[in-house]
Amino acid sequence: MHRVLSGIQPSGIPTLGNYLGAIRNWVALQDTHDCLFCVVNLHAITGFQDPALLRANTLEMAATLLACGIDPARSVLFVQSAVSAHARLAWIFNCIARLGWLNRMTQFKDKAGRDRESASAGLYVYPNLMAADIHTYHATRVPVGDDQRQHVELANDIAEKFNHDYGVDFFPRVEPLILPEAARIMSLRDGTRKMSKSDPSDQSRINLTDDADAIALKIRRARTDPAPLPHDAAGLADRPEARNLVAIYAAITGAEVAHVLAEHGGHGFGAFKEALAERLVSRLAPVAAETRRLLADTAHLEQTLRQGAARADALAEPIVAEAERIVGFLS
Ligand code: TRP
């Protein structure tokens, strides 16, 4: 059985994009893989986070993952900072990865923007920490969105150079699992941008904590073009907003896009949006309710996370201790 590791940032309220793109796949992977999932708060602080908000967001993300169906009895669910092996291995990897490799990372360029000089050093070495998350457990499968593919490749480059430099065969190759469902869910205001919890406009996204009214309103106000829905997928080609709403409908109902268009093609967006809102509400309302229930008892939630961290630590410790021995650290 392959071991899966994935991480998600606690940088805000999780969105429908996180659910359809990542979380839903994680839930399914539990049936076929040995899974570890972590809330990556070390990655989150590569950009300043208000401490109280970071704490709240970390708990909220953990509660959401549980509410969506991550099962702590089958999977290891934990917060990254609680397992010190990640940071120890990340340091070793900082010394393995070459500046030239990091300079090619497109996410750094996007996130640092024009003012590279004032980006944190942590943002620059972010991919090394992600490689450490994976290799700390000898995970071999990494479910991620397409935007993280380059980071997974870097994790392989790091493993290969470590193995080569130290003459060992210690870190295995990893494969990204870019699942078909990892379709990118786009902003409701701009179909060319990813739906993101960091978008300044709350109207651009469905939060997993939104109630029925908020969901209906956001879908009703979602940007569309004036044409009716096309009869086939080809008709969505130059219509990013229409394509996004149809993709969301298809993902949430488990239907093919062709199927959705066979049913709704030729109709205006008014009726389609009503139907979409209804589907979203019936799927997401129970998740929101369960998240609220879990967040009402943070002591219990924190206990669940501590147990997850203890299990993660037990898996990580021998592997990272061996990496340190290989490097020549005294034990
Ligand atoms: N960088 C990932 C993202 O932004 C999050 C992440 C951190 C991750 N560590 C990971 C994903 C390890 C997979 C494996 O989506």
Side-chain angles (χ1 to χ4, degrees):
M1 211 193 241
H2 279 283
R3 178 171 284 172
V4 155
L5 179 128
S6 199
I8 193 163
Q9 291 209 34
S11 47
I13 298 165
T15 69
L16 179 66
N18 298 127
Y19 176 65
L20 294 176
I23 303 173
R24 197 171 60 135
N25 294 321
W26 294 8
V27 172
L29 282 166
Q30 298 180 113
D31 295 335
T32 50
H33 291 73
D34 165 22
C35 293
L36 295 116
F37 299 115
C38 61
V39 180
V40 292
N41 55 350
L42 301 182
H43 281 106
I45 65 162
T46 56
F48 179 78
Q49 302 289 323
D50 174 80
L53 208 57
L54 179 60
R55 251 175 238 121
N57 285 339
T58 303
L59 289 172
E60 182 146 3
M61 181 55 82
T64 302
L65 293 175
L66 292 164
C68 289
I70 298 299
D71 175 3
R74 290 194 289 160
S75 300
V76 182
L77 174 67
F78 64 104
V79 177
Q80 188 186 30
S81 62
V83 181
S84 64
H86 294 239
R88 281 152 54 203
L89 190 59
W91 178 257
I92 294 175
F93 286 175
N94 285 343
C95 303
I96 297 286
R98 307 291 93 185
L99 292 184
W101 301 358
L102 294 176
N103 287 337
R104 285 195 289 275
M105 295 294 113
T106 57
Q107 180 173 289
F108 175 77
K109 289 178 201 164
D110 290 348
K111 288 203 177 176
R114 230 162 265 162
D115 194 8
R116 258 182 82 124
E117 297 286 308
S118 62
S120 73
L123 187 65
Y124 192 63
V125 296
Y126 176 117
N128 298 344
L129 175 60
M130 180 165 158
D133 296 339
I134 298 165
H135 292 308
T136 289
Y137 303 96
H138 280 178
T140 49
R141 294 290 183 272
V142 183
V144 282
D146 196 47
D147 61 327
Q148 297 295 312
R149 190 191 289 273
Q150 195 183 32
H151 288 163
V152 178
E153 280 162 16
L154 187 89
N156 277 323
D157 293 342
I158 289 173
E160 210 171 279
K161 184 165 166 57
F162 179 96
N163 289 344
H164 175 266
D165 287 358
Y166 291 104
V168 292
D169 183 12
F170 187 61
F171 289 117
R173 275 196 75 72
V174 305
E175 267 176 42
L177 292 177
I178 315 273
L179 297 158
E181 287 85 356
R184 274 156 57 96
I185 302 302
M186 311 306 278
S187 158
L188 299 175
R189 309 301 304 170
D190 176 352
T192 64
R193 296 166 60 99
K194 196 169 154 180
M195 182 179 285
S196 163
K197 46 194 179 231
S198 54
D199 191 310
S201 165
D202 191 58
Q203 297 295 314
S204 71
R205 62 179 161 265
I206 305 285
N207 303 308
L208 293 185
T209 49
D210 283 347
D211 62 20
D213 289 345
I215 292 173
L217 195 65
K218 286 176 179 178
I219 293 297
R220 213 173 296 137
R221 288 194 183 152
R223 195 165 143 193
T224 45
D225 54 51
L229 284 145
H231 289 280
D232 54 32
L236 293 169
D238 300 318
R239 302 175 63 188
E241 283 83 16
R243 186 170 62 233
N244 188 38
L245 292 184
V246 171
I248 294 173
Y249 193 99
I252 205 86
T253 58
E256 299 288 332
V257 165
H259 213 90
V260 177
L261 292 176
E263 192 184 338
H264 294 274
H267 301 176
F269 273 97
F272 180 70
K273 284 177 165 181
E274 292 303 319
L276 175 57
E278 211 170 281
R279 302 293 196 139
L280 282 169
V281 167
S282 67
R283 186 64 173 274
L284 300 182
V287 171
E290 177 64 1
T291 303
R292 271 195 301 278
R293 191 187 71 78
L294 290 163
L295 286 172
D297 187 355
T298 48
H300 183 258
L301 180 57
E302 286 179 42
Q303 177 62 15
T304 303
L305 291 171
R306 267 194 297 276
Q307 284 165 355
R311 287 171 60 204
D313 197 66
L315 295 169
E317 196 50 44
I319 294 174
V320 173
E322 179 61 11
E324 289 171 334
R325 194 198 59 76
I326 290 169
V327 166
F329 293 173
L330 301 179
S331 55

